[in-house]
Every structure is written in C-alpha cells, then in structure tokens.
Amino acid sequence: MAPLRLRIEGRTFRDTENREVTLRGINVAGDAKYPASPDLPSHLRERFFEGDDVSFVGRPFSLDEAHTHFSRLKRWGYNTIRYIFTWEAIEHAGPGQYDEEWVQHTIKVLRLAKDYGFYIFMDPHQDVWSRFTGGSGAPMWTLYAMGLNPQMFAANEAAMVHNTYPDPSNYPKMIWSTNYTRLACQVTFTLFFGGRDFAPKAIIDGKNIQDYLQEHFVAACEHLAKRIHEAGDIENEVVVGWESMNEPNRGLVGWPDLSAIPSEQKLQKGTSPTAWQAILLGSGRSVEVDTWDFGGLGPYKSGTQLVDPKGASAWLPADHDDSKYGWKRDPGWKLGECLWAQHGIWDPENDRLLKEDYFARHPKTDTKIDYEYFTNNYFMDYYRRHRKAIASVYSKAIMFCQPPVLEIPPSLKGTKDDDPNMVYAPHYYDGVTLMTKKWNRYWNVDVFGLLRGRYMSPAFAIKVGETAIRNCFKDQLAAIRKEGIDYMGNHPCVFTEIGIPYDMDNKYAYKTGDYTSQSLAMDANHFALEGCGANGFTLWVYVTTNNHQWGDLWNGEDLSIFSHDDAPLPLASTDGPTPNKSAATSSLSVDQTSPSYSKSRSTDSSPVSPLNLKHTLSTPSISSQGPSTTPIDLGSKPGFRAAEAYVRPSPIATVGNVVTYSFDLRNASFTLTLSCNSATTESAPTEIFLPEFHFPRDHSEVEVSGGKWSISVDDADGGLIQKMRWWHGEGEQRCVVRGIRRRQGMGLGQDEEEGYLEQCQQSRCAVM
C-alpha cells in the first residue's frame, strides 16, 4: 500500500517526509447547498417543492470549470479543501435511491483536484436540517417520513424559508439560523438523535424514526465512500478524511422547560416563540410571541407579534397519501395530529401543556439531560455509527469529529473512542460582526468566555480597542483548542469553519470598491488562527456564483472570498519599493478625509493593464467570468474583496515542529519559529507559501537563524505558487521575511460606536 499522504502523529499532521503539515484550507463550494437542475438558489420559489425531481450534477462546479477554480485556490495558497456535499444530492429521489450520475460527477471532480495536490476531506453538510426547513442538507422525503408538511411551514413559521419568503430581497439577515429554535428543526433533530427515547410511537418500516433516518443518512455517506474507494486513484491520493456532520443540533433533547426560552439560547431574532408556542403554531393556533432584534451588544426584545396560521398545520393531514415513497408507517403513529400530542406532552382538546419538562430527563433512567449529556450520549451514538461506516470502506480515513457548535466536546480522553486518527473540528465566527454585518474595531465580546461562565458580569467580557479585540479572538480559539485536548485527548485541531460577511455597512464596499472593514475583520480572524496553536483551518467559503446583489445565493449570506463582481488580486506590484517601505500605490491606503473612512477601503490604485494582468494571473480563467447581472449601483466599483488579508504566507511543510508563526499584514512581515530534532535533507526542506503580492521575489528580505534558503515560483501542484524553501539545522530555528508594506485603513464611525458603548453601560449584555 502506498504511504499515507497525510497522517496524524499525536497533535500534528505529517507528510510522507515526516514534515509537519499545516492545513490552510477553504470550503468548496457553497453552491453545493442547492440543486443545479433546476438551478434553485434560495431566493427563487418556482419548482421549489419538486424536491424529488432535482439534480446536483454540476455541483460544486462543472468539470469544464474545475481547473479554473482549483488553479485559483492553489494560487491563493490553499492546500486543503473541505468538500461540501449534501445528503439530498445523493438520495433526493427517495429512500435508497442514489443518484449515481452525481456520484460519478463528484469522483471526476475529485480526480481533477488530485492534480493540484490538495488534501480533501468530505463534509456531509447540513444547515437547519434541509433546504425545506430554511437551510440545506437532508432530502425533502425525510420531512414526510417524520409526518411533517413542508408546504405549510411558511403559514405557521415552523421554518423561515428564503424560497417561500414573500419578499426574498428583504429576507432578514441571519434569520435562517433561528430555524434551529423553530418547530420543524426542533422536531427533525429530536427525532434524528433521540427518537427512540422521546418518540417511541414514531415507527416506520418496523423501526423507530431515529434509526430509520440515521441508517439512511449513514448509508448514503458509506455509498459515496465506496464509490470513491472503487475509483482506485482518489482515496489517500486526494481524499484523506471524512467529517461527521456539519453543526449537529440537539433539537429539544434536554430542553428544561418547553414554556420558556432556555438560558443557554443566545440567538434570538425576529419572532422568537418558546418551544410550546412553536408547538401550538405548528398545529394552526394563533399565538402572540415576543420579537427580538440583534443590536451591537447582542439580542434584545423589541416587542410582540401575533402569528396567526389560520388553522394551517405543519403536520401532514390525516388523508395524506403515505404510499409514495414505499414505506409503511406503524398504525400507532397517526397522521393529522401533532406527534408531541400523541406522546402526551399536550392536550389539543384544550391546548394545555401537560409535560413541560418532557425532554429534560431520560424517560428510562430519569437522568437529567443537559447539552453535555446530549453530546456524550446521543451525538456520540450517531458519531460511532458514522465512523464505523466510513472505516469499513477506508480504515485509514482521518475522522474529523465535529460536536455541537461551541458546546463542551465529548469526554473521550482515555476511552475506546480516543481514536488516534481523529481530528477535533470546531467552528468559530465573530458573532457580533456576523449578525450586525459591521466590523467594530472599538470593542467586541469574549463570547466563548461568556458561554463558559468566566465572567461575573457580561460587561466584563467586553474587550475594548483593536489590540484587545484581536487578542480576544486568538484567546477564544486557543481556549476552544485546549478544551478539545482536555476532553477529547491529544489530537489535531482544525477550525473547519471561520469567516466574515462581505456585505458589511449596507454593502458600502460594493458601491465604492472600499474594503477596509472586510480587510480588518479578515486579518483579525487570521491573526487568531495563526496564534491559537491550531493545526489549520478551512475558511468559509468559496462560492463560484457569488455576486454583489445576492451574495452567496443562499439565505442572504455573503461570506465568499470570491465574487464575479470583484477584481482578482494582483500577485505582485509592478513597482519596486524596498521592503518595509510603504508602497506608493497601496491597495490598503484610504482617503482619511472621506466620510466613509470608518467603513471601508479606498479603491486600489495599483497600475493594472491587460499585459500585466495576463502575466499576473497566468491563466485567463482565473479572472471573473461572464458579464455581471448585478445592478450597476452594486457592481460598478469592483475591489479586491480584501484578498490581501486572506492571501497570506503560511508554513506548508515544516521539518520538525511549528512553534509559532504569524503574518503582520500592516508591516508585511512573516515570522516562523520551529523546533527540530534533526537537520533538513536536501530533498525535503521546510517549505513556506509566500504570496507574490506581499513578497515580490526581487523586493523581499529574508533573515534566518541559520542555513540556506531560496524563493521560487513553481507549478509542481498544477498552480503557479511562490514558495520559500529553507534548509536548516536542528534545534530552535527562526526566520523572518519582510515584503512590501502597505498602509491599512483603520477607523470606524465614531458616533455609532459611541452609541453602542453607551448602550453597554446602560443594559445587560447578551450575545450569540
């Protein structure tokens, strides 16, 4: 058997030369969340409920376009891809009916990726369960299997779905994520993880709905793994691992009181029903619910609203034809009635809640259930099933274990689940920036510290000043990483999602080409990643069809590092300022007298011509393709999309162990310290990615503690990238590389930020 391209040794990744590998990755691609035929981004309604008759062939992109995207990502320095696919893509037609055409398309795309030297791990992606509950992931038939009627969700707010929202262009930002606390998701995740205990009457084809759903989902992933294995030249050569499930959620398992919002529920926006109110709404009752908004200091109650479904039920009617998909529902599971009423939680005759703590304790052992119990029991039962299925096909697969987001990881250290081939795969987003779509360099909040109870008062979690904010991000990521070690054991940590919204400041950057806010936010996130001690990351996200009008074409999100309406980053300046001297034409300089100085970066003034653009991009396909359909007021001023902040240097393969590494964007200075027990060999030096934009080869300075080095551009992995190779001795080693320093715009809207600080002093702080 060929040696493993990537293997785990304790807390590090190693290549075939035993060098430490740092995973610098990207999620590819957000387009995979919705079908290619019909092409159904989340703002379109036509044919939405024809969920069985769709095709994901062509996702994440066509074979003809694959080289364009892979070469672009390679040029930007990425060596790892988290490959997004959904259960729906495999099994949309019905239970057990696999789309072999999509499977073969996926294998062909993966085979092309092999030419670029990527490490790929497969991500069975979901968001709030399914497209039909406002996200992505599971096929439509799973909702019918659970007795739900997705066509009624809009009427009773069982889910806030972009495709069925009355005015898709005004779909509230980030409202989709509140679906985790609405009826449809509360039902789906409860049944998926805890159906045997909490819905024993939900029997279909002779088994509980929990086993029915998990078996189908895991079997679909196993089927894809088998086809990849049978391809013969993909496993290990490009696909090195599998993730468990994107952002699993407990549903109602462990919910202490159905009539109240749990204290740990930090996200509230729009209408915010309690679980009991959601149950009533789902059965067609009108309910007055609280409404919430998200301000600078987190969620706050904004009022109340009467939601009247006018009798429309989220459950399938009693006369529903249940024969379409070939399953047999047990007679004890009645259609036309709320499943929770059938289990005695409430009485639909008088709308009385009978068992508000039904989900708070294990029905067989009476053990109190909290999120930690859920993770260690219900989630781990699923994870073991998933791991076993993948390992039965590819025993050497690296397993990326992703527990519920920002919850305490499962206690695996020293147990039989302490698998040496496992990776801790947490997610992290700066919630304040994500929800407000604004970069605030005056203050931010230690969200993770708040969640772990490290502050006597939320006010103490506020970090003031840019340096404190950046260090706060770094400390949060370091704490998440350490928590993984403490609970799961000695394993690598890879943040498989982290990113920023690009449509900040009411899309100001799109109107001006000014990306200062985005550059500052992106740099702060990468500063945290570089300093937290993790073994890598996969940035969220790359979307091939992103544009300024609809963003990522999914739920109003706009986090893609690529857009058709922005210009590609030049790889190097045509002028030659000396290292650490400010470039005369800086892509980061701003007009400090502009009223928008607080919001974003001025248009780049670097000279670009067809001649140097062609030289810069090496292949014509790197640039945006096709005419833009974005309205002129949102696309007339293309910028570089803050690419200078994410196209940054990074260790690729390190002889010995990485001690620290960091990139100072303002001063264009990269520092790497390492420790090695033996000297490098001639054939396997330490390798560093050095982007030409920051480090033109003829205008960079290198200082090393010893040895020799070279900087060259090569296309060994299918894409022209500039690398520094360093041959050094054993012991502690250090190198510093200085490139062209470019001024970075800073400063935010003073009046608005002072208003936030004043609000902070007057009220309690609650954050996501």
Side-chain angles (χ1 to χ4, degrees), residues 401-561:
C401 179
Q402 185 191 151
V405 177
L406 292 182
E407 298 297 332
I408 294 174
S411 298
L412 310 182
K413 191 173 183 178
T415 72
K416 63 180 181 181
D417 292 310
D418 193 356
D419 177 9
N421 222 26
M422 177 174 63
V423 174
Y424 178 38
H427 289 181
Y428 176 83
Y429 289 94
D430 165 21
V432 173
T433 301
L434 189 65
M435 296 300 296
T436 63
K437 296 201 175 184
K438 172 183 175 58
W439 172 247
N440 181 341
R441 78 178 185 91
Y442 282 111
W443 63 268
N444 207 293
V445 179
D446 179 3
V447 174
F448 190 73
L450 275 176
L451 292 174
R452 294 298 180 266
R454 294 173 184 164
Y455 298 97
M456 293 180 61
S457 166
F460 295 139
I462 297 174
K463 306 299 177 182
V464 179
E466 183 186 19
T467 299
I469 292 169
R470 289 163 64 90
N471 286 328
C472 175
F473 288 179
K474 181 184 69 174
D475 292 345
Q476 288 182 77
L477 267 58
I480 292 171
R481 170 183 170 271
K482 183 179 184 301
E483 197 173 66
I485 294 170
D486 292 343
Y487 282 86
M488 297 176 66
N490 194 40
H491 304 284
C493 173
V494 175
F495 286 88
T496 56
E497 281 191 28
I498 186 170
I500 67 161
Y502 275 88
D503 53 342
M504 297 184 195
D505 309 315
N506 295 316
K507 300 190 178 183
Y508 182 85
Y510 298 165
K511 304 165 188 174
T512 64
D514 234 337
Y515 278 89
T516 292
S517 290
Q518 292 82 351
S519 182
L520 292 170
M522 185 67 81
D523 183 47
N525 278 263
H526 279 79
F527 169 82
L529 288 165
E530 293 162 358
C532 72
N535 304 88
F537 65 91
T538 50
L539 192 69
W540 186 267
V541 61
Y542 182 83
V543 178
T544 69
T545 51
N546 178 284
N547 61 60
H548 287 179
Q549 181 179 14
W550 291 106
D552 298 340
L553 280 75
W554 184 84
N555 281 344
E557 285 203 343
D558 194 353
L559 284 83
S560 175
I561 63 171

Side-chain angles (χ1 to χ4, degrees), residues 39-326:
D39 187 6
L40 269 177
S42 69
H43 61 277
L44 299 181
R45 185 187 185 105
E46 187 178 1
R47 298 186 61 187
F48 176 60
F49 288 111
E50 298 176 20
D52 306 329
D53 188 21
V54 296
S55 172
F56 285 73
V57 176
R59 300 292 189 224
F61 33 70
S62 70
L63 298 179
D64 290 340
E65 296 172 337
H67 287 293
T68 296
H69 302 298
F70 288 145
S71 59
R72 176 183 292 137
L73 294 171
K74 198 69 183 182
R75 198 79 186 253
W76 288 344
Y78 293 111
N79 64 358
T80 303
I81 287 175
R82 183 184 187 226
Y83 193 95
I84 300 168
F85 72 95
T86 63
W87 181 7
E88 184 186 10
I90 306 175
E91 203 176 0
H92 51 81
Q97 300 181 47
Y98 299 140
D99 188 337
E100 292 292 349
E101 185 181 0
W102 174 84
V103 170
Q104 292 306 312
H105 171 78
T106 300
I107 288 172
K108 291 173 183 176
V109 173
L110 293 172
R111 186 171 284 130
L112 291 175
K114 183 174 66 171
D115 295 337
Y116 294 85
F118 289 115
Y119 302 110
I120 290 181
F121 61 97
M122 307 299 291
D123 164 37
H125 204 85
Q126 73 81 33
D127 306 276
V128 296
W129 186 259
S130 168
R131 286 193 300 127
F132 306 95
T133 51
S136 67
M140 184 176 69
W141 60 260
T142 62
L143 296 169
Y144 290 106
M146 287 182 271
L148 291 166
N149 185 357
Q151 298 195 44
M152 293 292 107
F153 290 168
N156 45 55
E157 296 194 358
M160 301 285 285
V161 182
H162 195 193
N163 298 82
T164 60
Y165 197 73
D167 181 4
S169 62
N170 287 316
Y171 185 69
K173 58 187 178 183
M174 294 305 296
I175 196 74
W176 71 265
S177 57
T178 68
N179 283 320
Y180 278 117
T181 56
R182 299 178 189 274
L183 178 72
C185 278
Q186 288 175 336
V187 170
T188 56
F189 284 102
T190 303
L191 297 185
F192 184 84
F193 285 111
R196 286 198 302 268
D197 289 334
F198 298 104
K201 294 183 179 180
I203 304 297
I204 191 167
D205 280 354
K207 60 189 69 173
N208 186 269
I209 188 65
Q210 174 183 339
D211 296 307
Y212 185 83
L213 293 170
Q214 286 195 20
E215 286 176 9
H216 276 284
F217 176 55
V218 171
C221 293
E222 183 179 1
H223 180 79
L224 178 58
K226 285 179 179 177
R227 290 290 187 260
I228 290 173
H229 176 78
E230 292 164 0
D233 60 342
I234 297 175
E235 201 174 73
N236 179 45
E237 295 185 47
V238 62
V239 175
V240 298
W242 283 73
E243 198 163 5
S244 48
M245 172 195 272
N246 184 66
E247 299 185 352
N249 187 272
R250 66 173 173 169
L252 291 173
V253 178
W255 215 259
D257 183 352
L258 294 176
S259 65
I261 301 290
S263 59
E264 61 266 29
Q265 181 180 320
K266 302 302 181 185
L267 176 60
Q268 292 178 266
K269 186 168 185 177
T271 52
S272 185
T274 65
W276 167 229
Q277 289 174 327
I279 288 171
L280 288 172
L281 288 168
S283 290
R285 275 57 162 186
S286 62
V287 179
E288 186 171 357
V289 301
D290 290 341
T291 58
W292 287 66
D293 207 343
F294 200 95
L297 297 173
Y300 63 92
K301 183 179 175 181
S302 58
T304 61
Q305 179 179 324
L306 179 67
V307 180
D308 185 3
K310 300 188 186 324
S313 174
W315 302 96
L316 289 172
D319 59 355
H320 173 73
D321 181 3
D322 210 23
S323 64
K324 177 178 181 179
Y325 297 106

Side-chain angles (χ1 to χ4, degrees), residues 578-619:
T578 56
N580 274 354
K581 302 289 186 178
S582 296
T585 54
S586 167
S587 74
L588 293 177
S589 60
V590 298
D591 177 7
Q592 299 189 16
T593 64
S594 168
S596 63
Y597 171 65
S598 66
K599 295 182 178 179
S600 38
R601 169 170 69 76
S602 64
T603 307
D604 185 282
S605 55
S606 301
V608 177
S609 68
L611 180 63
N612 64 32
L613 184 63
K614 181 178 180 180
H615 168 74
T616 297
L617 299 177
S618 81
T619 58

Side-chain angles (χ1 to χ4, degrees), residues 335-356:
L335 295 183
E337 184 178 342
C338 171
L339 182 61
W340 302 138
Q342 296 179 58
H343 285 85
I345 296 175
W346 69 290
D347 185 353
E349 292 295 325
N350 54 27
D351 291 353
R352 279 184 55 226
L353 178 61
L354 304 175
K355 300 178 181 178
E356 67 273 1

